[in-house]
Amino acid sequence: MAAPMRQLGQTSFQKKIPSKLQIPGTKPSLYNNQLLISTGIPSLDNVIGGGLAVGTVLLIEEDVFGGYGRLMLKYFCAEAVMTGQALFLSSLDNKPSQILNELPAPILDDPGPDSEQLVTGATERMKIAWRYQHLPQFQSSPMGTKFGHYYDLTKSMELGVISSINTFLVGQSELTETDSSEHPMNPYYLQLLKRIQEKIDSDGFGTAVQQKKRNILRIAIHSLGSPMWGENGGLNQIGSYDPSLPRFLLALRVLMRSAFAVCVITMPTHLFCDKGFVVRVERLCDTVVHLESFAGSEKEKNILYKEYHGLFNIHQLPSLNSLTCHMPDTLDLAFKLRRKKFTIEKLHLPPELSETASRPQEDPLSNLKFPPQTGSCGTSLGVKNKLDF
Amino acid sequence: MFSDLNHLFAVSKENHLQGEFVVISNSKADGSFLIHHFLSFFLKQNRPVCFVGLSQSYNHYSTVAQKLSCNLNAAKTSGQLVFIEGMKLLGDAVSGNSLIKGDNSFVCKAAFDLQQFFMHIKSTLELLKMNQTQDPVLIIDNLSFLLYIGCSIPQLVMFVNYLLQKVTSQCTGSLVLALYSDMISVDENSDLLWKNLSHLCSITCQVTGLESGYSKDVHGELLITWRSRDVKQTQIKKTQFKLSDKNVTFFASGMSSAVL
């Protein structure tokens, strides 16, 4: 079974990962044997089924001001630095080098559990179950490199550390060459595709290429589809349908499928007036998450959300090489930003403990709109009784 | 191939879905299990199959088929299955890094030339019909991708009309198409395509999410409608389903084991 699959060598969706193929910063999925990498946010990895499968595209639909989307992209890039993977970073809204300089610094002062465990394990002789003693120690991270790191947002990563990995920045100047004026596609998207293709080919990230030491290419595209890219929400100058962005995403999916690469795109989908176009864009990506920040909205003051900074919705999860996708408990989550940590959590509603309707966020409003009616059956002296109706 | 699904479609010795045109719509739930089912179902019937994969790579279909105990590689080498890697052809055409060979000349300028594409499918089907004894099957997953990359609705409807003529009238074969459509009409064009196709077809399968929202234990609803010229014979079956690694379980609405 494995032989014909390897012969094809076309896709990174190999069912069985050859045991010798150990790539730093990856782990096999518990569900479907896909090779996974971390998004850089461990709580996000958990929610989407362990991590991002190699060969897929993650779309982050940005919040209105784009700040949190950008932050998530930085985490993704920082994780590349920590695991020694290659990074391809593109942006037209900001300079890519600026994003690279603002990466959060890793928190490294946690006690190295690996080394400590090994030492104690070697010295302590087993008192019971001694026949398991000669078995090899269980290692939580067999790759040597930890999967998923924590970062301190107050400090930025040292430039020396960043320069240790293979980075490739694509900004305005790299995307403005126009050689194919005849092509019916947005020139920026076309150039970006070409750059990604060149990078995959030149550094041997393709699945068809035999390599002794494999590595992963992380592709981060910031604010794709913003006005800087010449995108107009799927409409061209004369107001008819412009399929450039769907075409780009389809071609990107094809490129990813045949490479050891993972792509993360942030996109300001709230700028597209046609919601149908947003749905199309989502369908052409593999994993889709949506951010909704509370900044400047009514929800900021809502007591229900006081712990959080925004809502986090999962719109789509990929089913790769299987009938099902990962099914989390809920698709509606929330995120919060602490000084050192960006976490995604289940949105907990406050428990309804008292018997009377006690929703503090609704009561003031309803009281204002409908002042206590004297005609109702009950005491109606401002104090609501259980027997009132 | 899921035996429960065969039961739902009333598959018997006489009824192998010959001459049927099945349209599968997905909205808010993943109905790709139906495509995988039909692919392995027809291959097991020894029917020759032409499969156009526009949404996933060949490996994906092959691995899932393996889980349903069906070997696509063997079917491909024996000539029973012709797999057109539409997604790969299209992606390569968009990035412009492939020389379009004579065989695949329907991919031009980052889009599909539907007329050329039809001619290509037509010749494939004729070849299949010549080499194999049974009637051919054409499966396209997923037609919406053609809409997304810029084919217009009239073009697509015309294209499907031609295919229908070719497959079910001339060869008495079967045609299975999948598409995305949002019943709440967010994407008006997808909706329009769905209406046009359901006007043409003989069986519609609508896979929708639950009205009450996402659930871990019930993955969606399946509504199968048999259309016929005789209004009285129109038949509807509705069921909820849950997907597992290798199987699908069906149950009546509200009768999920998680609820009971």
Coordinates of all heavy atoms in Angstrom, one line a residue, chain A residues 338-377:
Chain A
R338 N -3.4 38.8 27.8 CA -2.7 39.3 29.0 C -1.4 39.9 28.6 O -1.0 39.9 27.4 CB -2.5 38.1 29.9 CG -3.8 37.5 30.5 CD -4.3 38.3 31.7 NE -5.6 38.0 32.0 CZ -6.7 38.6 31.5 NH1 -6.5 39.6 30.7 NH2 -7.9 38.3 31.9
R339 N -0.6 40.3 29.6 CA 0.6 41.0 29.3 C 1.6 40.0 28.5 O 2.3 40.4 27.6 CB 1.3 41.5 30.6 CG 1.0 42.9 30.9 CD 1.7 43.4 32.1 NE 3.1 43.4 31.9 CZ 4.0 43.0 32.8 NH1 3.6 42.5 33.9 NH2 5.3 43.2 32.5
K340 N 1.5 38.8 29.0 CA 2.5 37.9 28.4 C 1.8 36.8 27.5 O 2.5 36.0 26.9 CB 3.3 37.1 29.5 CG 4.1 38.1 30.3 CD 5.1 37.3 31.1 CE 6.1 38.2 31.8 NZ 7.0 37.6 32.6
K341 N 0.5 36.8 27.5 CA -0.1 35.6 26.9 C -1.3 36.0 26.1 O -2.1 36.8 26.5 CB -0.5 34.7 28.0 CG -0.2 33.2 27.7 CD -0.4 32.5 29.0 CE -0.7 31.1 28.9 NZ -1.0 30.5 30.2
F342 N -1.5 35.4 25.0 CA -2.7 35.5 24.2 C -3.4 34.1 24.3 O -2.8 33.1 23.8 CB -2.4 35.8 22.8 CG -3.6 35.9 21.8 CD1 -4.3 37.1 21.8 CD2 -3.9 34.9 21.0 CE1 -5.4 37.1 20.9 CE2 -4.9 34.9 20.1 CZ -5.7 36.1 20.1
T343 N -4.6 34.0 24.8 CA -5.2 32.6 25.0 C -6.6 32.6 24.4 O -7.3 33.6 24.3 CB -5.3 32.2 26.4 OG1 -5.8 33.3 27.2 CG2 -4.0 31.7 27.0
I344 N -6.9 31.5 23.9 CA -8.3 31.2 23.4 C -9.0 30.3 24.3 O -8.4 29.2 24.6 CB -8.2 30.7 21.9 CG1 -7.7 31.8 21.0 CG2 -9.5 30.2 21.4 CD1 -7.0 31.4 19.8
E345 N -10.1 30.6 24.7 CA -10.8 29.8 25.7 C -12.3 29.6 25.3 O -12.8 30.4 24.5 CB -10.8 30.5 27.1 CG -9.5 30.6 27.7 CD -9.5 31.4 29.0 OE1 -10.6 31.8 29.4 OE2 -8.4 31.6 29.6
K346 N -12.9 28.6 26.0 CA -14.3 28.5 25.9 C -15.0 29.7 26.5 O -14.6 30.2 27.5 CB -14.8 27.2 26.6 CG -15.1 26.1 25.8 CD -15.7 25.0 26.6 CE -15.2 23.7 26.1 NZ -15.6 22.6 26.9
L347 N -16.0 30.2 25.8 CA -16.7 31.3 26.4 C -17.7 30.8 27.4 O -18.7 30.2 27.1 CB -17.4 32.0 25.3 CG -18.2 33.3 25.6 CD1 -17.3 34.3 26.2 CD2 -19.0 33.8 24.4
H348 N -17.4 31.0 28.7 CA -18.3 30.5 29.7 C -19.3 31.5 30.0 O -19.1 32.7 30.4 CB -17.5 30.2 31.0 CG -16.6 29.1 30.9 ND1 -17.0 27.8 30.7 CD2 -15.2 29.0 30.8 CE1 -16.0 27.0 30.6 NE2 -14.9 27.7 30.6
L349 N -20.6 31.1 30.0 CA -21.6 31.9 30.5 C -21.7 31.8 32.0 O -21.4 30.8 32.5 CB -23.0 31.5 29.9 CG -23.0 31.5 28.3 CD1 -24.3 30.9 27.9 CD2 -23.0 33.0 27.9
P350 N -22.1 32.9 32.7 CA -22.2 32.8 34.1 C -23.3 31.8 34.5 O -24.3 31.8 33.9 CB -22.5 34.2 34.6 CG -23.0 34.9 33.4 CD -22.4 34.2 32.2
P351 N -23.1 30.9 35.4 CA -24.1 30.0 35.8 C -25.4 30.6 36.3 O -25.3 31.6 37.1 CB -23.4 29.1 36.8 CG -22.3 29.9 37.3 CD -21.9 30.8 36.3
E352 N -26.5 30.1 36.0 CA -27.8 30.6 36.5 C -28.0 29.9 37.8 O -28.6 28.8 37.8 CB -28.9 30.3 35.5 CG -28.9 31.1 34.2 CD -29.6 32.4 34.5 OE1 -30.8 32.4 34.5 OE2 -28.9 33.4 34.7
L353 N -27.7 30.5 38.9 CA -27.8 29.9 40.2 C -29.1 30.2 40.9 O -29.8 29.4 41.4 CB -26.6 30.2 41.1 CG -25.3 29.6 40.6 CD1 -24.2 30.1 41.5 CD2 -25.4 28.1 40.7
S354 N -29.5 31.5 40.8 CA -30.7 31.9 41.5 C -31.9 31.5 40.7 O -31.8 31.3 39.5 CB -30.7 33.4 41.7 OG -30.5 34.0 40.5
E355 N -33.0 31.4 41.4 CA -34.2 30.9 40.7 C -34.9 32.0 39.9 O -35.5 31.7 38.8 CB -35.2 30.4 41.7 CG -34.9 28.9 42.2 CD -35.9 28.5 43.2 OE1 -35.6 28.8 44.4 OE2 -36.9 27.8 42.9
T356 N -34.8 33.2 40.3 CA -35.4 34.3 39.5 C -34.5 34.6 38.3 O -33.3 34.3 38.3 CB -35.5 35.6 40.4 OG1 -34.2 35.8 41.0 CG2 -36.6 35.4 41.4
A357 N -35.1 35.3 37.4 CA -34.3 35.7 36.2 C -33.2 36.7 36.7 O -33.6 37.8 37.0 CB -35.2 36.2 35.1
S358 N -32.0 36.3 36.6 CA -31.0 37.2 37.1 C -29.9 37.4 36.0 O -28.8 36.9 36.1 CB -30.3 36.7 38.4 OG -29.7 35.5 38.1
R359 N -30.3 38.1 35.0 CA -29.3 38.4 33.9 C -29.0 39.8 34.1 O -29.7 40.7 33.6 CB -29.9 38.1 32.6 CG -30.1 36.6 32.3 CD -29.4 36.1 31.0 NE -29.5 34.7 30.8 CZ -30.4 34.2 30.0 NH1 -31.2 34.9 29.3 NH2 -30.4 32.9 29.8
P360 N -27.9 40.2 34.7 CA -27.6 41.6 35.0 C -27.4 42.4 33.7 O -27.7 43.6 33.7 CB -26.3 41.5 35.8 CG -25.8 40.2 35.6 CD -26.9 39.3 35.3
Q361 N -27.0 41.7 32.6 CA -26.8 42.5 31.4 C -28.1 42.8 30.7 O -28.1 43.6 29.8 CB -25.8 41.8 30.5 CG -26.3 40.6 29.7 CD -26.4 39.4 30.6 OE1 -26.2 39.4 31.8 NE2 -26.7 38.2 29.9
E362 N -29.2 42.2 31.0 CA -30.4 42.4 30.3 C -31.4 43.2 31.2 O -32.1 44.0 30.7 CB -31.1 41.1 30.0 CG -30.5 40.5 28.7 CD -31.1 39.2 28.4 OE1 -32.2 38.8 28.9 OE2 -30.5 38.4 27.6
D363 N -31.3 43.0 32.5 CA -32.3 43.6 33.4 C -32.4 45.1 33.3 O -33.5 45.6 33.2 CB -32.1 43.1 34.8 CG -32.8 41.8 35.1 OD1 -33.6 41.4 34.2 OD2 -32.6 41.2 36.2
P364 N -31.3 45.8 33.4 CA -31.4 47.2 33.4 C -32.1 47.7 32.2 O -32.9 48.6 32.3 CB -29.9 47.7 33.4 CG -29.1 46.5 33.8 CD -29.9 45.3 33.5
L365 N -31.9 47.1 31.0 CA -32.5 47.6 29.8 C -34.0 47.4 29.9 O -34.8 48.3 29.6 CB -31.9 46.8 28.6 CG -30.7 47.4 28.0 CD1 -30.2 46.5 26.9 CD2 -31.0 48.8 27.4
S366 N -34.4 46.1 30.2 CA -35.8 45.8 30.2 C -36.5 46.7 31.3 O -37.7 47.1 31.0 CB -36.0 44.3 30.5 OG -35.4 44.0 31.7
N367 N -35.8 47.0 32.4 CA -36.5 47.8 33.4 C -36.7 49.2 32.8 O -37.7 49.9 33.1 CB -35.6 47.9 34.6 CG -35.8 46.6 35.4 OD1 -36.6 45.8 35.1 ND2 -35.0 46.5 36.5
L368 N -35.8 49.7 32.0 CA -35.9 51.0 31.5 C -37.1 51.1 30.5 O -37.9 52.0 30.5 CB -34.6 51.5 30.8 CG -33.5 52.0 31.7 CD1 -32.3 52.3 30.9 CD2 -34.0 53.2 32.5
K369 N -37.1 50.1 29.6 CA -38.1 50.1 28.6 C -39.5 49.9 29.1 O -40.4 50.5 28.7 CB -37.8 49.0 27.6 CG -36.8 49.4 26.5 CD -36.5 48.3 25.5 CE -35.3 48.6 24.7 NZ -34.8 47.4 24.0
F370 N -39.6 49.0 30.0 CA -41.0 48.7 30.6 C -41.0 49.0 32.1 O -40.6 48.1 32.8 CB -41.3 47.2 30.3 CG -41.2 46.8 28.9 CD1 -40.1 46.0 28.5 CD2 -42.1 47.2 27.9 CE1 -39.9 45.6 27.2 CE2 -41.9 46.8 26.6 CZ -40.8 46.1 26.2
P371 N -41.4 50.1 32.5 CA -41.5 50.4 33.9 C -42.5 49.5 34.5 O -43.5 49.1 33.9 CB -41.9 51.9 34.0 CG -42.4 52.2 32.6 CD -41.8 51.3 31.6
P372 N -42.3 49.2 35.8 CA -43.2 48.2 36.4 C -44.7 48.6 36.2 O -45.1 49.8 36.5 CB -42.9 48.3 37.9 CG -41.6 49.1 38.0 CD -41.3 49.7 36.7
Q373 N -45.4 47.7 35.7 CA -46.8 48.0 35.5 C -47.7 47.8 36.7 O -47.5 46.8 37.4 CB -47.3 47.1 34.3 CG -46.8 47.5 33.0 CD -47.2 46.6 31.9 OE1 -47.9 45.6 32.1 NE2 -46.7 46.8 30.7
T374 N -48.6 48.7 37.0 CA -49.4 48.6 38.2 C -50.5 47.5 38.0 O -51.0 47.0 38.9 CB -50.0 49.9 38.5 OG1 -50.5 50.5 37.3 CG2 -49.0 50.8 39.2
G375 N -50.8 47.3 36.7 CA -51.9 46.4 36.4 C -51.6 44.9 36.6 O -52.5 44.1 36.6
S376 N -50.3 44.6 36.7 CA -50.0 43.2 36.7 C -50.3 42.6 38.1 O -50.5 43.3 39.1 CB -48.5 43.0 36.5 OG -47.8 43.5 37.6
C377 N -50.5 41.3 38.1 CA -50.9 40.6 39.3 C -49.6 40.4 40.1 O -48.7 39.7 39.7 CB -51.5 39.2 39.0 SG -53.0 39.4 38.1

